[in-house]
Amino acid sequence: MRMGVDELRDLANGAAFLGAGGGGDPYIGRLLATSAIEEFGAPELVSAEDINDEARVLTIAMLGAPTVILEKAVSGDDIEFVIRSLEAKLDQKADYLMSIEIGGVNSLVPVMAAARLGLPLIDADGMGRAFPAIQMVTFNAFGVSATPLVMADDHGTSMVVEAPTAEAAEDIVRAASVPLGCSAVISCYPMLGRQVKDCAVLGTLSLARSIGKIIADNQQSEDPVESLVAHLRTTPYYSRCEILFDGKVVDVRRELRDGFSVGTVRLQSLKSETSIMEVQFQNEFLVAKLNGKTKAIVPDLVCLVDRETAQPILADGVRYGQRIKVLGVSAPSVMRADESLSIFGPQAFRMDEPFVPLEDL
Amino acid sequence: MRMGVDELRDLANGAAFLGAGGGGDPYIGRLLATSAIEEFGAPELVSAEDINDEARVLTIAMLGAPTVILEKAVSGDDIEFVIRSLEAKLDQKADYLMSIEIGGVNSLVPVMAAARLGLPLIDADGMGRAFPAIQMVTFNAFGVSATPLVMADDHGTSMVVEAPTAEAAEDIVRAASVPLGCSAVISCYPMLGRQVKDCAVLGTLSLARSIGKIIADNQQSEDPVESLVAHLRTTPYYSRCEILFDGKVVDVRRELRDGFSVGTVRLQSLKSETSIMEVQFQNEFLVAKLNGKTKAIVPDLVCLVDRETAQPILADGVRYGQRIKVLGVSAPSVMRADESLSIFGPQAFRMDEPFVPLEDL
């Protein structure tokens, strides 16, 4: 199928939902992809099973502080430069592009890139959600090297990085992104078709689009959130899904720490004033606690949606007084594997408690 | 001539003098070069006029916080990796190596590299002294691009940087050096033989060695500092040379700011308690003021030496109670040109006053 302008609204909105509060503003992502499709045509979306084992697959994403990405966006030239540089480094042309994460910006930037470069886009990513650091992908959990990696801004500054670990690559790239204005285009985890089949979370762009479509189609229904939950229960990854809380925001604490947006959202139940949910975030929502008891924890998804419309709400967009339903959604099973939990389980976010699947909480 | 182990003592000490308080510890530099020469043989030191206009010249240096460089040093493998990476990027083998600056570490690391790689070393650098940032070289003042640039640590992390300006390269490399442990090996300003002849400060390794030899040979003389000054007056660049002050250190203020060692040394005259000299530094000594009146200012060299032995004293090594003579030394004339002053004159260090040659102060 083609990923055309008509598909973008739903993709952007569904990706914002799966971004679990992070992943950037879907409006920006959609604008970027729309303009590229109008100029270069709609890229083809292909299933991982349809690609050759030896095909060269490159990823493309934006890296930086979400609020800055919102203002700076990407020029397109930087995307082309990054892909061409990595092709030169590998001495091999890209056959396919792929997303690293599902989120409002980083699901749409690959659409923009695929349109611009005339390359097909693989229906997959490395998380089935959004995360704040380069090492936090299934690719890394299952042995794909994060480097060689290329990062560039739109003023002609670029770097080709090699590093022994994905964490080392993350450290150097994160530090170097600051003088680049906290926003840059990046391509990492260059891989082959067979590695995509082995390591990626498959079908996630289609899934994101189907989630966005359900939200849009059910705006006039009696309970859009219930419709969304019913749909999630039919999906392969996100079928364990619960409405954890229905309440209003009574406090938001948010600070910028080490380049991350970190804080806590406090919600009070609409039915009982003494029932309180606290949701902690680091760019993405990490854990939801009902009266102090954990109800869902990373890598499972904690998603906040408008209680009337089911529209996803980003961590940076939570405001006092909003009426919100908090959803707990199961992460894809590959994300719950031991290899994965060591990289992006609760400990990776300095939390003391172990991961427990939300269906067991 | 060959740069053998016997030459290193004088080279290290003279380079520490010309480092004007910065440039790192000559003892470390000498150890590194000695060990490389013992293993691989002494490299040839060649005059710039003897090299071909089309010869490929690569620089090599350490970048980072001096105190960390002192502890981490370099492994040798990182040096080879950096040169090989830049050769691959340029698709051309290096014919010569060259220093970027004259200082205790960065004059000796190129000796180590030349020995290890079996390459001749050009008797020249980009400052005729030491400075704290990549853009502060005559190469930049006269139009040589700082990039492509390669930086690496000794744990397998590396980056190939391209940037539109030397300042942009400095910003990204400085930021990325922090996760590398504030110490890395770098090669920048790749150039051709003719650019060396046009832009470099020539003969500075030989000059450093001659200065170190004078200091060593005159330890038993009546006044080693006078012998040093008499020698400097015979050199092509450093002939304007004055003893600005003879005193003892009564105060040292020093802090780490933005990765630099920044502060002020206060000296009281041995002859008159009311006569005070203050010397400001940012890694290197920048300006010397006698009772508030500027007597020498960057890019001219302010050098502190032991008043009895003429041994150079680094900014990081100044201690309360030391008896010191402060020397003002003219920078090479190319460093006083307008193109150069815009890059490393007083304004580059946020000082309000203009550059005035020390002989006019």
Side-chain angles (χ1 to χ4, degrees):
Chain A
M1 65 162 284
R2 295 267 159 193
M3 183 61 79
V5 170
D6 292 344
E7 282 73 47
L8 293 182
R9 180 199 64 182
D10 295 339
L11 172 60
N13 218 18
F17 175 81
L18 292 178
D25 185 330
Y27 179 70
I28 298 294
R30 190 177 157 194
L31 278 186
L32 293 171
T34 300
S35 135
I37 289 174
E38 285 173 352
E39 186 173 354
F40 301 99
E44 194 186 356
L45 188 70
V46 299
S47 293
E49 51 258 47
D50 293 338
I51 69 177
N52 192 294
D53 276 357
E54 301 305 315
R56 169 52 67 194
V57 180
L58 299 185
T59 70
I60 189 90
M62 290 195 72
L63 178 138
T67 44
V68 177
I69 288 176
L70 200 149
E71 301 203 353
K72 278 187 66 190
V74 287
S75 75
D77 290 342
D78 40 14
I79 284 180
E80 188 159 353
F81 179 87
V82 161
I83 295 297
R84 297 302 175 223
S85 297
L86 195 47
E87 287 178 334
K89 174 73 186 170
L90 298 165
D91 197 18
Q92 194 179 11
K93 300 289 279 183
D95 298 310
Y96 298 93
L97 295 183
M98 189 168 67
S99 303
I100 295 174
E101 66 176 356
I102 298 297
V105 167
N106 276 336
S107 297
L108 280 292
V109 162
V111 175
M112 173 194 185
R116 197 177 171 90
L117 299 176
L119 287 170
L121 184 63
I122 300 175
D123 188 3
D125 80 306
M127 311 182 191
R129 54 165 297 158
F131 268 139
I134 288 174
Q135 72 269 23
M136 294 180 170
V137 289
T138 54
F139 313 141
N140 180 31
F142 295 97
V144 180
S145 172
T147 63
L149 165 165
V150 177
M151 181 165 78
D153 71 0
D154 56 355
H155 301 294
T157 301
S158 69
M159 48 195 276
V160 180
V161 175
E162 306 218 48
T165 66
E167 288 78 5
E170 160 71 21
D171 287 347
I172 198 168
V173 159
R174 190 70 53 183
S177 74
V178 176
L180 295 188
C182 289
S183 167
V185 175
I186 186 169
S187 181
C188 51
Y189 294 100
M191 66 189 102
L192 299 176
R194 88 176 82 86
Q195 293 174 300
V196 174
K197 296 173 196 179
D198 288 349
C199 306
V201 186
L202 305 181
T204 44
L205 289 182
S206 297
L207 274 169
R209 192 188 150 214
S210 77
I211 291 166
K213 188 165 179 350
I214 285 289
I215 295 173
D217 290 351
N218 284 279
Q219 286 301 300
Q220 307 307 325
S221 77
E222 198 175 319
D223 190 338
V225 178
E226 276 299 342
S227 306
L228 171 60
V229 168
H231 175 67
L232 288 169
R233 287 186 173 143
T234 69
T235 64
Y237 305 133
Y238 309 114
S239 54
R240 310 287 189 145
C241 177
E242 298 294 338
I243 297 174
L244 303 177
F245 202 72
D246 181 9
K248 64 179 179 189
V249 177
V250 292
D251 194 21
V252 184
R253 291 166 193 268
R254 187 188 285 121
E255 62 174 317
L256 210 63
R257 196 188 299 161
D258 299 333
F260 297 113
S261 178
V262 176
T264 305
V265 179
R266 191 176 165 89
L267 298 125
Q268 188 182 60
S269 168
L270 292 182
K271 291 182 188 144
S272 156
E273 283 191 6
T274 58
S275 180
I276 297 290
M277 174 156 278
E278 286 200 335
V279 180
Q280 293 171 25
F281 59 89
Q282 177 182 335
N283 288 12
E284 285 75 33
F285 300 119
L286 298 177
V287 60
K289 294 186 182 186
L290 178 62
N291 300 323
K293 188 172 178 310
T294 296
K295 302 303 285 180
I297 188 165
V298 69
D300 279 350
L301 288 69
V302 175
C303 303
L304 274 56
V305 299
D306 182 292
R307 79 183 294 276
E308 308 297 338
T309 66
Q311 288 289 342
I313 294 171
L314 301 185
D316 276 349
V318 179
R319 300 282 177 269
Y320 177 86
Q322 279 173 330
R323 284 157 187 255
I324 281 174
K325 285 185 175 170
V326 179
L327 274 58
V329 182
S330 55
S333 54
V334 65
M335 302 279 290
R336 290 170 157 191
D338 288 344
E339 295 90 334
S340 296
L341 291 175
S342 69
I343 297 172
F344 42 70
Q347 277 69 49
F349 298 94
R350 297 179 196 177
M351 287 189 279
D352 284 338
E353 50 189 315
F355 172 71
V356 179
L358 70 93
E359 59 270 25
D360 298 336
L361 284 168
Chain B
M1 66 162 285
R2 296 267 160 194
M3 183 61 79
V5 170
D6 292 345
E7 281 73 47
L8 293 182
R9 180 200 63 182
D10 295 338
L11 172 60
N13 219 17
F17 175 79
L18 291 178
D25 186 330
Y27 179 71
I28 298 292
R30 190 176 157 194
L31 279 185
L32 292 170
T34 299
S35 134
I37 289 174
E38 285 173 353
E39 186 173 354
F40 300 99
E44 194 185 355
L45 188 69
V46 299
S47 293
E49 52 257 47
D50 293 337
I51 68 175
N52 191 294
D53 277 356
E54 301 305 314
R56 170 52 67 194
V57 180
L58 298 185
T59 70
I60 189 88
M62 291 196 71
L63 178 138
T67 45
V68 177
I69 289 177
L70 200 148
E71 300 201 354
K72 279 188 65 190
V74 287
S75 74
D77 291 342
D78 40 14
I79 285 180
E80 189 159 350
F81 179 87
V82 160
I83 294 297
R84 297 301 177 225
S85 297
L86 194 47
E87 286 177 335
K89 174 74 186 169
L90 298 166
D91 197 20
Q92 193 179 11
K93 301 288 279 183
D95 298 310
Y96 298 93
L97 295 182
M98 189 168 67
S99 303
I100 295 175
E101 65 176 356
I102 298 298
V105 167
N106 276 338
S107 298
L108 282 291
V109 162
V111 174
M112 173 194 185
R116 199 177 170 91
L117 299 176
L119 287 170
L121 183 63
I122 300 176
D123 188 2
D125 80 307
M127 310 183 193
R129 54 166 296 159
F131 269 137
I134 288 174
Q135 72 270 24
M136 294 180 171
V137 288
T138 54
F139 313 141
N140 180 32
F142 295 97
V144 180
S145 172
T147 63
L149 165 165
V150 177
M151 181 164 79
D153 71 0
D154 55 355
H155 301 293
T157 300
S158 68
M159 49 196 274
V160 181
V161 175
E162 305 217 49
T165 65
E167 287 77 6
E170 161 71 22
D171 287 347
I172 198 168
V173 159
R174 190 71 51 183
S177 75
V178 176
L180 295 188
C182 289
S183 166
V185 175
I186 187 171
S187 181
C188 50
Y189 294 99
M191 65 190 104
L192 299 176
R194 86 177 85 86
Q195 292 174 301
V196 175
K197 296 174 195 176
D198 288 348
C199 306
V201 186
L202 305 181
T204 44
L205 289 182
S206 297
L207 273 169
R209 192 189 152 214
S210 77
I211 292 166
K213 188 167 182 342
I214 285 289
I215 295 172
D217 289 352
N218 284 279
Q219 286 301 299
Q220 307 308 323
S221 76
E222 197 175 318
D223 189 339
V225 179
E226 275 300 343
S227 305
L228 171 60
V229 168
H231 174 68
L232 289 169
R233 288 188 172 143
T234 69
T235 65
Y237 305 132
Y238 308 114
S239 56
R240 309 287 189 146
C241 176
E242 298 294 337
I243 298 174
L244 302 177
F245 202 72
D246 181 9
K248 65 179 178 189
V249 177
V250 292
D251 194 23
V252 185
R253 290 165 194 271
R254 186 189 285 121
E255 62 174 316
L256 211 62
R257 196 188 299 162
D258 299 331
F260 296 113
S261 179
V262 175
T264 304
V265 179
R266 192 177 164 87
L267 300 124
Q268 188 182 60
S269 168
L270 293 182
K271 290 182 188 140
S272 157
E273 284 191 3
T274 59
S275 181
I276 297 290
M277 175 156 274
E278 286 200 335
V279 180
Q280 293 172 25
F281 60 89
Q282 176 181 335
N283 288 14
E284 285 75 33
F285 301 118
L286 298 177
V287 59
K289 294 186 183 186
L290 179 61
N291 299 323
K293 188 172 177 314
T294 297
K295 302 302 284 180
I297 188 164
V298 68
D300 278 350
L301 288 70
V302 176
C303 303
L304 274 57
V305 299
D306 183 292
R307 79 182 296 274
E308 308 297 337
T309 66
Q311 288 288 344
I313 295 170
L314 301 185
D316 275 349
V318 178
R319 299 283 177 269
Y320 177 86
Q322 279 173 330
R323 284 156 189 255
I324 281 175
K325 286 184 176 171
V326 179
L327 274 59
V329 182
S330 55
S333 54
V334 65
M335 302 280 290
R336 290 170 158 192
D338 288 345
E339 296 90 336
S340 297
L341 291 175
S342 69
I343 297 172
F344 42 67
Q347 277 69 46
F349 297 95
R350 298 181 196 176
M351 287 189 279
D352 284 335
E353 51 190 315
F355 171 70
V356 179
L358 71 93
E359 59 270 25
D360 298 335
L361 284 168

